[in-house]
């Protein structure tokens, strides 16, 4: 092996940026770095987000409720050995040509966050990278915006698209154009130009009717399509009608997003579907039959993976109910992965009984990602999960009814569990959990387990990372901790944050209201009962007084009994009226108490971990 080959092998362990620094040492190092670049098969160029145009906003389309920074980093890891972090959201022409010339044998190219494009850059890329099989543009709005329709932007035109199709139309098998501001006209150019695609991702664009999907190439296997769910132009429905009208009805993996409509029932025609991802919003005024929509999903017998995300842009209720999930589980008996993610924190369909029915209908489940739970989801659901024979990966968020003991018992009794993520569920004693993991290692030394625990009000900083054994970790425990209350505040806002805990404050208000209303209800119940008994006693007392006076004096019974009988009857009738009224008031106060406690509990759950 020559020295250049040895040096290139050493440089292969460095990142692209580090290799660029090593390239400037001397001529031999430069030749080795260039040789390594020529053998590289994939390249990702990540531009800097520009927060002024909204591209830097937090987008929850890839799975809502990954509120912890750790979870988001795990889902968006990029291989640093094949990626370049560009300091701007644009690349000048000279740098663009010089960069691609060095990586001439690229098979997979990805541009993420490079917003400014034109026909010259597209032409140079097609000449310098002739062997590309996978072409990916993510958050590259200059690809979609065209000066044909928007004269304020000097971006890619029809000539650029034709140049791209002429070079890559018959060789690219994977094409991603996500969040690129594509419209229906540009979608038709893409569909008719690229005829060898097996993977197409055109989600989160300005797509409306999407009529070109009915003429998609017959080689397509994985399709991701739908309008964007944030920002402007979110009025389009899920384009399911155009999907089933062409060769796309035979895809094996489908990801759709948009407004939920009654046309979703047509999804039952996708007979070859094994993975389905639905990201939807519920219309505010449209009255649709949601039951039939989810019942149609239950008729997909070949489905192995199902992901359901509901996004909330206005005040709406949760569209998925317990009956809807049961209709899905009863039909999809071969389900292996199930993800349920919703950013609406009331009326969650997940309860203990649902997990029992899930165990009966889908015994082959291997992955569960559930968010949120409700107060009816207790440790019994964890005991049911421990009986799943094939369950390996579990993530639960906002299951406020579970306890630390129930979590430990679930992990101990699980048969094949290899990864467990618990977020915002219960307070965890760090020392007790470490001791539990150590004992578990001695009991089951051949198992592998990764645990990530994020307690309530965490700062998203791992305070404890425990590995057993240290040299070759089999058990990995990561616990995100709360801020140390004994540590003095570094600023006025830190001190204010310690004084005001929204979750505890809302629960305190809820407790005060509950005590006050319970006191009023008890008092009303006692007084109403006292009035009824008092009326009977008063009537009996007046009757005895009348008999006593009549036996001692010889007055006319009728004349003497009129005032006493009148007074007794008034007291008796008034007591009979006041008693039921007080009982009715008691019922009204009980209803108000339930509503108010639900409101404050929802506020505590909604704002408890955001600090708003």
């Amino acid at each position: 092996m020559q020295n250049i080959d040895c040096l290139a092998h050493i440089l292969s362990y460095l990142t692209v940026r580090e290799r660029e620094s090593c390239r400037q040492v001397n001529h031999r190092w430069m030749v080795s770095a260039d040789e390594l670049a020529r053998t590289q098969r994939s390249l990702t160029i990540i531009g800097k987000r520009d927060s002024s145009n909204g591209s830097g906003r937090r987008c929850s389309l890839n799975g809502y409720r990954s509120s912890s920074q750790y979870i988001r980093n795990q889902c968006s890891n990029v291989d640093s050995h094949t990626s370049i972090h560009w300091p701007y959201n644009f690349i000048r022409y000279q740098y663009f040509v010089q960069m691609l010339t060095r990586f001439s044998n690229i098979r997979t190219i990805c541009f993420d966050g490079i917003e400014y494009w034109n026909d010259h850059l597209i032409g140079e890329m097609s000449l310098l990278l002739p062997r590309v099989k996978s072409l990916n543009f993510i958050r590259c709005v200059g690809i979609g915006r065209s000066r044909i329709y928007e004269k304020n932007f000097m971006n890619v035109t029809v000539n650029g698209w034709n140049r791209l199709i002429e070079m890559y139309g018959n060789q690219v098998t994977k094409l991603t154009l996500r969040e690129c501001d594509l419209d229906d006209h540009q979608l038709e150019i893409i569909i008719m130009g690229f005829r060898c695609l097996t993977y197409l991702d055109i989600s989160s664009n300005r797509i409306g009717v999407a009529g070109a999907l009915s003429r998609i190439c017959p080689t397509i296997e994985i399709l991701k399509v739908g309008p964007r769910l944030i920002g402007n132009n979110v009025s389009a429905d899920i384009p399911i009608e155009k999907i089933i009208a062409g060769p796309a009805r035979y895809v094996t993996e489908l990801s759709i997003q948009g407004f939920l409509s009654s046309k979703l029932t047509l999804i039952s025609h996708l007979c070859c579907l094994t993975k389905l991802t639905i990201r939807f919003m519920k219309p505010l005024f449209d009255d649709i039959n949601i039951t039939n929509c989810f019942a149609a999903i239950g008729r997909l017998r070949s489905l192995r993976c199902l992901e359901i995300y509901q996004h909330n842009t206005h005040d709406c209720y949760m569209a998925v109910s317990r009956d809807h999930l049961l209709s899905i589980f009863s039909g999809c008996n071969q389900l292996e992965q199930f993800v349920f993610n919703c950013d609406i924190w009331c009326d969650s369909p997940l309860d203990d009984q649902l997990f029992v029915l899930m165990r009966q209908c889908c015994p082959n489940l291997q992955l569960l990602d559930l968010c949120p739970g409700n107060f009816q989801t207790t440790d019994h659901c964890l005991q049911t999960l421990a009986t799943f024979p094939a369950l390996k990966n579990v993530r639960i968020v906002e299951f406020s009814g579970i306890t630390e003991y129930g979590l430990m018992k679930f992990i101990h009794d699980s048969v094949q569990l290899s990864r467990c993520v618990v977020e915002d569920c219960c307070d965890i004693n760090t020392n007790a959990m470490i001791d539990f993991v150590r004992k578990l290692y001695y009991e089951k030394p051949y198992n592998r387990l990764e645990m990530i625990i994020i307690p309530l009000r965490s700062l998203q900083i791992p305070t404890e990372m425990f590995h057993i054994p240290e040299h070759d970790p089999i058990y990995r425990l990561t616990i995100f901790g709360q801020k140390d209350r004994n540590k003095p505040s570094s600023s006025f806002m830190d001190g204010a944050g310690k004084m005001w805990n929204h979750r505890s404050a809302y629960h305190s208000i809820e407790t005060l209201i509950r005590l006050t209303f319970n006191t009023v209800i008890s008092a009303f119940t006692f007084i109403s009962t006292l009035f009824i008994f008092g009326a009977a006693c008063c009537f009996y007392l007046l009757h005895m007084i009348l008999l006593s006076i009549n036996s001692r004096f010889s007055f006319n019974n009728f004349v003497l009994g009129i005032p006493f009988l009148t007074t007794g009857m008034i007291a008796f009738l008034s007591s009979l009226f006041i008693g039921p009224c007080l009982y009715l008031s008691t019922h009204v106060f009980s209803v108000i108490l339930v509503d108010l406690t639900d409101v404050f509990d929802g506020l505590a759950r909604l704002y408890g971990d955001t600090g708003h």
Side-chain angles (χ1 to χ4, degrees):
M1 184 179 291
Q2 300 179 3
N3 293 333
I4 294 180
D5 297 333
C6 294
L7 187 57
H9 180 73
I10 295 174
L11 294 178
S12 64
Y13 292 96
L14 303 179
T15 63
V16 176
R17 186 171 183 177
E18 293 171 345
R19 293 202 300 263
E20 185 64 24
S21 300
C22 295
R23 186 176 179 272
Q24 303 175 10
V25 174
N26 53 39
H27 179 71
R28 178 177 297 178
W29 286 51
M30 181 184 66
V31 173
S32 300
D34 291 343
E35 181 66 24
L36 185 62
R38 279 191 293 270
T39 60
Q40 187 168 322
R41 292 295 181 265
S42 63
L43 178 64
T44 302
I45 302 176
I46 304 174
K48 184 180 179 180
R49 302 287 182 87
D50 186 7
S51 59
S52 61
N53 60 4
S55 61
R57 293 176 296 179
R58 176 178 178 268
C59 181
S60 59
L61 299 183
N62 292 327
Y64 167 75
R65 196 54 188 163
S66 294
S67 60
S68 65
Q69 186 67 34
Y70 180 84
I71 301 299
R72 288 201 299 269
N73 291 338
Q74 292 295 318
C75 296
S76 59
N77 281 337
V78 178
D79 188 3
S80 58
H81 295 84
T82 60
S83 61
I84 299 176
H85 291 270
W86 197 251
Y88 309 102
N89 61 346
F90 62 91
I91 303 178
R92 295 188 182 276
Y93 179 80
Q94 296 84 354
Y95 297 149
F96 185 81
V97 173
Q98 184 180 5
M99 185 188 307
L100 297 188
T101 303
R102 194 171 300 169
F103 302 91
S104 57
N105 291 319
I106 290 296
R107 301 297 191 272
T108 301
I109 183 70
C110 177
F111 297 95
D112 187 351
I114 305 298
E115 301 181 1
Y116 295 93
W117 288 85
N118 54 46
D119 295 344
H120 299 290
L121 295 180
I122 294 295
E124 291 296 335
M125 182 182 66
S126 62
L127 291 177
L128 298 174
L129 303 178
R131 298 178 179 88
V132 169
K133 299 291 185 180
S134 176
L135 188 60
N136 306 277
F137 296 94
I138 302 174
R139 286 179 289 271
C140 298
V141 294
I143 292 293
R145 292 174 182 168
S146 175
R147 62 182 175 209
I148 295 179
Y149 308 103
E150 302 175 8
K151 298 182 179 180
N152 296 327
F153 299 98
M154 300 294 292
N155 296 304
V156 178
T157 65
V158 175
N159 295 328
W161 280 108
N162 292 333
R163 187 72 178 271
L164 198 66
I165 292 172
E166 181 182 355
M167 186 65 193
Y168 300 125
N170 294 322
Q171 74 179 44
V172 169
T173 59
K174 180 180 179 181
L175 179 62
T176 300
L177 295 165
R178 188 191 315 150
E179 300 181 40
C180 293
D181 271 359
L182 298 175
D183 57 12
D184 287 339
H185 178 69
Q186 293 162 337
L187 175 62
E188 186 175 2
I189 297 176
I190 296 168
I191 296 297
M192 301 307 297
F194 293 91
R195 303 305 296 175
C196 298
L197 295 177
T198 60
Y199 178 98
L200 177 61
D201 184 356
I202 48 174
S203 57
S204 301
N205 287 290
R206 294 184 295 175
I207 297 174
V209 180
L213 289 175
S214 60
R215 300 186 297 274
I216 200 170
C217 57
T219 58
I220 193 70
E221 297 178 0
I222 301 175
L223 178 62
K224 299 181 180 181
V225 63
R228 55 190 177 187
L229 297 182
I230 59 174
N232 299 323
N233 299 355
V234 296
S235 59
D237 295 333
I238 297 176
I240 189 64
E241 190 175 10
K242 303 300 179 181
I243 293 176
I244 67 170
R249 65 186 304 171
Y250 300 107
V251 296
T252 57
E253 296 184 15
L254 177 65
S255 177
I256 51 179
Q257 62 188 44
F259 274 113
L260 192 64
S261 65
S262 57
K263 296 180 181 179
L264 189 61
T265 55
L266 300 174
I267 202 172
S268 59
H269 293 84
L270 302 176
C271 55
C272 301
L273 201 62
T274 59
K275 181 178 179 180
L276 175 62
T277 302
I278 301 179
R279 297 180 176 94
F280 70 92
M281 293 185 299
K282 185 184 180 303
L284 183 60
F285 301 106
D286 294 343
D287 187 13
I288 61 176
N289 194 340
I290 303 177
T291 303
N292 293 337
C293 295
F294 290 102
I297 300 177
R299 290 193 287 270
L300 299 174
R301 304 296 180 182
S302 60
L303 201 62
R304 297 293 185 272
C305 177
L306 175 61
E307 299 180 5
I308 299 176
Y309 303 92
Q310 180 179 354
H311 301 269
N312 182 23
T313 58
H314 49 262
D315 295 331
C316 66
Y317 60 89
M318 186 174 292
V320 184
S321 66
R322 183 171 177 270
D323 295 335
H324 298 156
L325 293 181
L326 288 179
S327 64
I328 294 175
F329 293 146
S330 60
C332 303
N333 297 324
Q334 304 299 322
L335 203 62
E336 297 178 356
Q337 299 180 10
F338 177 68
V339 178
F340 177 77
N341 237 313
C342 182
D343 58 356
I344 302 175
W345 300 106
C346 58
D347 300 329
S348 176
L350 305 175
D351 55 11
D352 293 340
Q353 186 62 27
L354 180 65
F355 285 89
V356 177
L357 299 175
M358 188 190 308
R359 169 68 174 82
Q360 298 174 359
C361 298
C362 303
N364 299 324
L365 277 173
Q366 300 179 9
L367 182 144
L368 276 177
D369 189 338
L370 305 175
C371 170
N374 58 26
F375 290 102
Q376 298 179 0
T377 313
T378 62
D379 290 339
H380 294 288
C381 76
L382 296 180
Q383 297 177 9
T384 306
L385 287 178
T387 61
F388 280 62
L391 192 60
K392 299 179 180 179
N393 195 333
V394 176
R395 176 175 176 262
I396 54 177
V397 181
E398 286 285 352
F399 279 60
S400 55
I402 67 174
T403 62
E404 181 182 9
Y405 171 76
L407 179 61
M408 291 180 180
K409 184 173 177 57
F410 159 66
I411 297 174
H412 181 272
D413 296 340
S414 297
V415 180
Q416 298 188 18
L417 187 65
S418 60
R419 190 171 188 268
C420 179
V421 180
V422 180
E423 184 177 352
D424 288 346
C425 291
C426 57
D427 292 329
I428 302 296
N429 189 334
T430 304
N431 296 328
M433 186 59 66
I434 292 176
D435 294 338
F436 165 74
V437 173
R438 184 181 290 109
K439 294 178 182 179
L440 190 64
Y441 169 70
Y442 291 127
E443 292 181 11
K444 304 177 181 180
Y446 300 105
N447 291 0
R448 289 188 175 270
L449 177 63
E450 179 185 5
M451 294 176 54
I452 302 172
I453 299 177
I454 307 174
L456 301 174
R457 301 291 298 169
S458 63
L459 293 180
Q460 320 304 343
I461 301 176
T463 57
E464 293 288 345
M465 298 186 67
F466 190 65
H467 296 167
I468 301 178
E470 294 183 358
H471 61 280
D472 185 17
I474 297 178
Y475 287 80
R476 300 174 183 267
L477 173 62
T478 304
I479 299 180
F480 291 74
Q482 298 180 354
K483 181 181 289 188
D484 188 3
R485 297 180 181 271
N486 298 324
K487 183 178 179 180
S489 300
S490 58
S491 63
F492 172 77
M493 293 305 296
D494 291 339
K498 289 181 179 179
M499 294 174 61
W500 178 255
N501 185 319
H502 285 267
R503 184 181 294 272
S504 60
Y506 283 126
H507 280 304
S508 300
I509 296 175
E510 176 191 350
T511 303
L512 291 176
I513 292 178
R514 186 184 294 276
L515 290 175
T516 304
F517 273 75
N518 284 335
T519 304
V520 173
I521 290 171
S522 301
F524 275 21
T525 304
F526 176 75
I527 293 174
S528 60
T529 307
L530 191 63
F531 261 98
I532 294 176
F533 280 102
C537 294
C538 181
F539 185 79
Y540 177 75
L541 180 61
L542 291 176
H543 179 67
M544 295 301 295
I545 292 175
L546 178 61
L547 293 178
S548 177
I549 295 175
N550 187 28
S551 61
R552 180 167 298 189
F553 303 98
S554 58
F555 295 107
N556 191 346
N557 292 337
F558 178 77
V559 176
L560 185 61
I562 287 177
F564 289 98
L565 290 175
T566 303
T567 306
M569 291 299 297
I570 292 175
F572 180 72
L573 294 176
S574 61
S575 299
L576 289 179
F577 177 74
I578 294 175
C581 289
L582 290 178
Y583 271 117
L584 182 61
S585 302
T586 302
H587 177 70
V588 172
F589 275 111
S590 300
V591 175
I592 295 175
L593 172 62
V594 172
D595 293 339
L596 287 177
T597 53
D598 288 342
V599 168
F600 280 99
D601 180 72
L603 289 174
R605 288 164 57 84
L606 181 61
Y607 297 108
D609 53 355
T610 58
H612 294 312

